Amino acid sequence: MAVALGALIVLSAASALIGWRWTRPSRNPRATPLRHPGFWLLVVGAAIYLNQVLCTIYLVRVHHGDPEFIARFLPSGWFALADDNLAMRWLAEVWPQPELLSWTLLRVPALLELPFVLLAYLTICRWFGAEVFDRAAVWPVAVSWTATFCLIEWSLANPYTFQDIALRVVSGLVTPWLVGRLTAGERQRVRSTADLALFAVSASALGVLVLVVYDTALLYNLAHVGDALPIAAAATGALVVARVLARWSPTQAGPGITAVSASLGWFLVFFFAPALPIRYGLSFGTPMLSAVAGLVIIAAAVVCGVHETARGSAVPWRAWGAELVLAVALGAAAAVAAFAVASGYPESRLLAAAGAFFALVIVVCGLLDRVLKAR
């Protein structure tokens, strides 16, 4: 498992750093709801919750609300069923032929998980700008993420493992073909301090919502919905406000913020394919390799971002290079502190660390750009 994950980390990171050069702009940049990844993210998310409701009906009627027959194959933290909910009980009682819903257990999520996370990442890329969306190659990502999901399935062997793997392979072939029909829109890359801050809020809020879906639906914990609702409502509110304000945010910025924006854009491109192998490498035997791969990707993104900014800026890079180094150092310290303080799933801690890092980098670069401009 660790060897296979390590190979995936190396190959996916290498493909991301090299393969973006062969991506092509979308053929139809006209923005329509049916070509926006965010629209289909909502559709897939709704399908995931519908499946969990049907699975609860199946477990209540066929297995008398006891999921132990399958839960014993999986880690702790799964199957907090909402079987004491009156509406769920009533629905379970009136549902005809509940045994036909057996496929809702593990199999349907195996089909839907890849499009869900892929669409979430592409939505973030589209918010950042059409250029980044176009550079995000989905086929290498689908191969990398599908292989990772299959390895995790194999490590959690259960009676449905072979069916789940087959469905994940099908999803890995169909999803990138369908996602390739989505378009980048016409939004320019985020550039100003305000625009970067709004993007960070948007991405963090969507990350929180994705984690809520994972906990309450993909881990069969519908009983957690009540506790998660305030968090989901706050994240949704922050997301809506940030996306509305992003339509009117200024576009001009100093060289420090410009370099941060360019570097972040390249990071989104480079991190796409190895994101899932790196995340699971932290938990399945290759934490050092995951850390090194992450640092290499960050370094490559910063080099590309600084080079791009230096070519287009009238201010010599020496004047703002120290500013960027200081901002990154302070951001890294904030990320380590946030990761240490945060609790919950590993994804929650990583999201807290990423949010702290970018928040501090944006604030520091924004302030130092003002100082540099005043000189």
Side-chain angles (χ1 to χ4, degrees), residues 6-18:
L8 266 178
I9 291 171
V10 173
L11 291 174
S12 59
S15 70
L17 294 172
I18 299 171

mmCIF file with all atom_site columns, all heavy atoms in Angstrom, residues 6-18:
data_model
loop_
_atom_site.group_PDB
_atom_site.id
_atom_site.type_symbol
_atom_site.label_atom_id
_atom_site.label_alt_id
_atom_site.label_comp_id
_atom_site.label_asym_id
_atom_site.label_entity_id
_atom_site.label_seq_id
_atom_site.pdbx_PDB_ins_code
_atom_site.Cartn_x
_atom_site.Cartn_y
_atom_site.Cartn_z
_atom_site.occupancy
_atom_site.B_iso_or_equiv
_atom_site.pdbx_formal_charge
_atom_site.auth_seq_id
_atom_site.auth_comp_id
_atom_site.auth_asym_id
_atom_site.auth_atom_id
_atom_site.pdbx_PDB_model_num
ATOM 1  N N   . GLY A 1 6  ? 3.296  5.747  -2.747  1.00 0.00 ? 6  GLY A N   1
ATOM 2  C CA  . GLY A 1 6  ? 4.509  6.525  -3.026  1.00 0.00 ? 6  GLY A CA  1
ATOM 3  C C   . GLY A 1 6  ? 4.745  6.682  -4.515  1.00 0.00 ? 6  GLY A C   1
ATOM 4  O O   . GLY A 1 6  ? 5.093  7.775  -4.995  1.00 0.00 ? 6  GLY A O   1
ATOM 5  N N   . ALA A 1 7  ? 4.570  5.576  -5.264  1.00 0.00 ? 7  ALA A N   1
ATOM 6  C CA  . ALA A 1 7  ? 4.719  5.656  -6.721  1.00 0.00 ? 7  ALA A CA  1
ATOM 7  C C   . ALA A 1 7  ? 3.695  6.606  -7.328  1.00 0.00 ? 7  ALA A C   1
ATOM 8  O O   . ALA A 1 7  ? 4.004  7.386  -8.245  1.00 0.00 ? 7  ALA A O   1
ATOM 9  C CB  . ALA A 1 7  ? 4.576  4.260  -7.324  1.00 0.00 ? 7  ALA A CB  1
ATOM 10 N N   . LEU A 1 8  ? 2.453  6.566  -6.810  1.00 0.00 ? 8  LEU A N   1
ATOM 11 C CA  . LEU A 1 8  ? 1.414  7.468  -7.308  1.00 0.00 ? 8  LEU A CA  1
ATOM 12 C C   . LEU A 1 8  ? 1.753  8.920  -7.032  1.00 0.00 ? 8  LEU A C   1
ATOM 13 O O   . LEU A 1 8  ? 1.525  9.797  -7.880  1.00 0.00 ? 8  LEU A O   1
ATOM 14 C CB  . LEU A 1 8  ? 0.074  7.126  -6.651  1.00 0.00 ? 8  LEU A CB  1
ATOM 15 C CG  . LEU A 1 8  ? -0.854 6.178  -7.395  1.00 0.00 ? 8  LEU A CG  1
ATOM 16 C CD1 . LEU A 1 8  ? -2.107 5.918  -6.576  1.00 0.00 ? 8  LEU A CD1 1
ATOM 17 C CD2 . LEU A 1 8  ? -1.223 6.734  -8.756  1.00 0.00 ? 8  LEU A CD2 1
ATOM 18 N N   . ILE A 1 9  ? 2.289  9.188  -5.849  1.00 0.00 ? 9  ILE A N   1
ATOM 19 C CA  . ILE A 1 9  ? 2.666  10.564 -5.502  1.00 0.00 ? 9  ILE A CA  1
ATOM 20 C C   . ILE A 1 9  ? 3.711  11.087 -6.478  1.00 0.00 ? 9  ILE A C   1
ATOM 21 O O   . ILE A 1 9  ? 3.591  12.196 -7.018  1.00 0.00 ? 9  ILE A O   1
ATOM 22 C CB  . ILE A 1 9  ? 3.188  10.632 -4.056  1.00 0.00 ? 9  ILE A CB  1
ATOM 23 C CG1 . ILE A 1 9  ? 2.043  10.369 -3.073  1.00 0.00 ? 9  ILE A CG1 1
ATOM 24 C CG2 . ILE A 1 9  ? 3.828  11.984 -3.772  1.00 0.00 ? 9  ILE A CG2 1
ATOM 25 C CD1 . ILE A 1 9  ? 2.509  10.191 -1.638  1.00 0.00 ? 9  ILE A CD1 1
ATOM 26 N N   . VAL A 1 10 ? 4.740  10.281 -6.714  1.00 0.00 ? 10 VAL A N   1
ATOM 27 C CA  . VAL A 1 10 ? 5.827  10.713 -7.599  1.00 0.00 ? 10 VAL A CA  1
ATOM 28 C C   . VAL A 1 10 ? 5.324  10.894 -9.030  1.00 0.00 ? 10 VAL A C   1
ATOM 29 O O   . VAL A 1 10 ? 5.591  11.922 -9.678  1.00 0.00 ? 10 VAL A O   1
ATOM 30 C CB  . VAL A 1 10 ? 6.982  9.695  -7.561  1.00 0.00 ? 10 VAL A CB  1
ATOM 31 C CG1 . VAL A 1 10 ? 8.036  10.042 -8.603  1.00 0.00 ? 10 VAL A CG1 1
ATOM 32 C CG2 . VAL A 1 10 ? 7.612  9.657  -6.172  1.00 0.00 ? 10 VAL A CG2 1
ATOM 33 N N   . LEU A 1 11 ? 4.588  9.904  -9.535  1.00 0.00 ? 11 LEU A N   1
ATOM 34 C CA  . LEU A 1 11 ? 4.136  9.965  -10.933 1.00 0.00 ? 11 LEU A CA  1
ATOM 35 C C   . LEU A 1 11 ? 3.127  11.090 -11.153 1.00 0.00 ? 11 LEU A C   1
ATOM 36 O O   . LEU A 1 11 ? 3.191  11.805 -12.158 1.00 0.00 ? 11 LEU A O   1
ATOM 37 C CB  . LEU A 1 11 ? 3.520  8.625  -11.331 1.00 0.00 ? 11 LEU A CB  1
ATOM 38 C CG  . LEU A 1 11 ? 4.498  7.449  -11.448 1.00 0.00 ? 11 LEU A CG  1
ATOM 39 C CD1 . LEU A 1 11 ? 3.738  6.149  -11.707 1.00 0.00 ? 11 LEU A CD1 1
ATOM 40 C CD2 . LEU A 1 11 ? 5.510  7.703  -12.554 1.00 0.00 ? 11 LEU A CD2 1
ATOM 41 N N   . SER A 1 12 ? 2.201  11.250 -10.223 1.00 0.00 ? 12 SER A N   1
ATOM 42 C CA  . SER A 1 12 ? 1.185  12.296 -10.393 1.00 0.00 ? 12 SER A CA  1
ATOM 43 C C   . SER A 1 12 ? 1.793  13.683 -10.278 1.00 0.00 ? 12 SER A C   1
ATOM 44 O O   . SER A 1 12 ? 1.426  14.605 -11.020 1.00 0.00 ? 12 SER A O   1
ATOM 45 C CB  . SER A 1 12 ? 0.050  12.113 -9.385  1.00 0.00 ? 12 SER A CB  1
ATOM 46 O OG  . SER A 1 12 ? 0.544  12.159 -8.057  1.00 0.00 ? 12 SER A OG  1
ATOM 47 N N   . ALA A 1 13 ? 2.745  13.854 -9.340  1.00 0.00 ? 13 ALA A N   1
ATOM 48 C CA  . ALA A 1 13 ? 3.410  15.152 -9.212  1.00 0.00 ? 13 ALA A CA  1
ATOM 49 C C   . ALA A 1 13 ? 4.218  15.473 -10.464 1.00 0.00 ? 13 ALA A C   1
ATOM 50 O O   . ALA A 1 13 ? 4.192  16.602 -10.970 1.00 0.00 ? 13 ALA A O   1
ATOM 51 C CB  . ALA A 1 13 ? 4.305  15.160 -7.978  1.00 0.00 ? 13 ALA A CB  1
ATOM 52 N N   . ALA A 1 14 ? 4.927  14.466 -10.992 1.00 0.00 ? 14 ALA A N   1
ATOM 53 C CA  . ALA A 1 14 ? 5.707  14.681 -12.211 1.00 0.00 ? 14 ALA A CA  1
ATOM 54 C C   . ALA A 1 14 ? 4.801  15.011 -13.392 1.00 0.00 ? 14 ALA A C   1
ATOM 55 O O   . ALA A 1 14 ? 5.096  15.916 -14.190 1.00 0.00 ? 14 ALA A O   1
ATOM 56 C CB  . ALA A 1 14 ? 6.544  13.439 -12.518 1.00 0.00 ? 14 ALA A CB  1
ATOM 57 N N   . SER A 1 15 ? 3.687  14.303 -13.515 1.00 0.00 ? 15 SER A N   1
ATOM 58 C CA  . SER A 1 15 ? 2.768  14.577 -14.629 1.00 0.00 ? 15 SER A CA  1
ATOM 59 C C   . SER A 1 15 ? 2.172  15.974 -14.527 1.00 0.00 ? 15 SER A C   1
ATOM 60 O O   . SER A 1 15 ? 1.955  16.647 -15.534 1.00 0.00 ? 15 SER A O   1
ATOM 61 C CB  . SER A 1 15 ? 1.648  13.528 -14.656 1.00 0.00 ? 15 SER A CB  1
ATOM 62 O OG  . SER A 1 15 ? 0.768  13.696 -13.563 1.00 0.00 ? 15 SER A OG  1
ATOM 63 N N   . ALA A 1 16 ? 1.915  16.419 -13.280 1.00 0.00 ? 16 ALA A N   1
ATOM 64 C CA  . ALA A 1 16 ? 1.346  17.757 -13.095 1.00 0.00 ? 16 ALA A CA  1
ATOM 65 C C   . ALA A 1 16 ? 2.345  18.844 -13.462 1.00 0.00 ? 16 ALA A C   1
ATOM 66 O O   . ALA A 1 16 ? 1.991  19.859 -14.076 1.00 0.00 ? 16 ALA A O   1
ATOM 67 C CB  . ALA A 1 16 ? 0.887  17.927 -11.651 1.00 0.00 ? 16 ALA A CB  1
ATOM 68 N N   . LEU A 1 17 ? 3.602  18.650 -13.072 1.00 0.00 ? 17 LEU A N   1
ATOM 69 C CA  . LEU A 1 17 ? 4.620  19.662 -13.331 1.00 0.00 ? 17 LEU A CA  1
ATOM 70 C C   . LEU A 1 17 ? 5.006  19.735 -14.807 1.00 0.00 ? 17 LEU A C   1
ATOM 71 O O   . LEU A 1 17 ? 5.475  20.769 -15.284 1.00 0.00 ? 17 LEU A O   1
ATOM 72 C CB  . LEU A 1 17 ? 5.866  19.379 -12.488 1.00 0.00 ? 17 LEU A CB  1
ATOM 73 C CG  . LEU A 1 17 ? 5.686  19.524 -10.971 1.00 0.00 ? 17 LEU A CG  1
ATOM 74 C CD1 . LEU A 1 17 ? 6.926  19.041 -10.233 1.00 0.00 ? 17 LEU A CD1 1
ATOM 75 C CD2 . LEU A 1 17 ? 5.379  20.977 -10.597 1.00 0.00 ? 17 LEU A CD2 1
ATOM 76 N N   . ILE A 1 18 ? 4.800  18.634 -15.522 1.00 0.00 ? 18 ILE A N   1
ATOM 77 C CA  . ILE A 1 18 ? 5.203  18.593 -16.930 1.00 0.00 ? 18 ILE A CA  1
ATOM 78 C C   . ILE A 1 18 ? 4.000  18.673 -17.874 1.00 0.00 ? 18 ILE A C   1
ATOM 79 O O   . ILE A 1 18 ? 4.038  19.360 -18.892 1.00 0.00 ? 18 ILE A O   1
ATOM 80 C CB  . ILE A 1 18 ? 6.000  17.303 -17.217 1.00 0.00 ? 18 ILE A CB  1
ATOM 81 C CG1 . ILE A 1 18 ? 7.270  17.260 -16.368 1.00 0.00 ? 18 ILE A CG1 1
ATOM 82 C CG2 . ILE A 1 18 ? 6.350  17.186 -18.696 1.00 0.00 ? 18 ILE A CG2 1
ATOM 83 C CD1 . ILE A 1 18 ? 8.003  15.939 -16.423 1.00 0.00 ? 18 ILE A CD1 1
#
